[in-house]
Amino acid sequence: MSPRTAEHMTWHQAHHAIDGVMVHPSDGEAWKRFNSVHPHFSVESRNVRLGLCTDGFNPFGSFAAPYSCWPVILTVYNLPPGMCMRPEFMFLSTRLMNNKKRFMNSFAK
């Protein structure tokens, strides 16, 4: 990690939220709940918080094809809003590829 990026990794701790306005995940109730449940983790602002994102698509461009692809992307939520969604801070961790019918049925169970 570059020194320029490292200085932004504690932004979420120094950020002061405006009541009723959510500009970053650290302003949300889930972040605050996580801090109260895991105080040993949240006391150190340099601990890295990751978001897990996914969105499925059909690699063959046809909705009739029975296959789908689900990239699983990690995002770094320690960074300020203008940085945490930039491509250089989003990491493709894995791809889930499967027969669409069998794949979706595994979630329904």
Side-chain angles (χ1 to χ4, degrees):
M1 181 178 302
S2 76
R4 275 188 351 192
T5 303
E7 69 187 37
H8 293 290
M9 288 296 287
T10 59
W11 178 90
H12 63 94
Q13 189 76 20
H15 164 69
H16 298 290
I18 300 167
D19 285 340
V21 179
M22 186 171 170
V23 297
H24 187 269
S26 64
D27 298 337
E29 291 300 318
W31 190 289
K32 294 169 187 162
R33 172 89 171 121
F34 184 88
N35 285 348
S36 67
V37 172
H38 303 285
H40 60 282
F41 182 85
S42 61
V43 71
E44 176 55 66
S45 64
R46 293 176 296 180
N47 286 337
V48 179
R49 296 175 185 240
L50 300 172
L52 185 68
C53 313
T54 187
D55 190 13
F57 67 94
N58 187 316
F60 303 110
S62 168
F63 290 109
Y67 297 96
S68 65
C69 180
W70 292 73
V72 178
I73 299 167
L74 294 173
T75 58
V76 181
Y77 282 150
N78 290 53
L79 299 169
M83 293 177 73
C84 68
M85 291 300 172
R86 280 200 209 147
E88 59 265 28
F89 299 114
M90 299 175 92
F91 307 99
L92 178 63
S93 61
T94 189
R95 285 184 321 223
L96 303 174
M97 299 177 75
N98 209 333
N99 178 298
K100 190 182 289 184
K101 188 173 186 179
R102 190 171 65 217
F103 183 69
M104 295 313 255
N105 285 342
S106 66
F107 283 115
K109 291 181 181 180

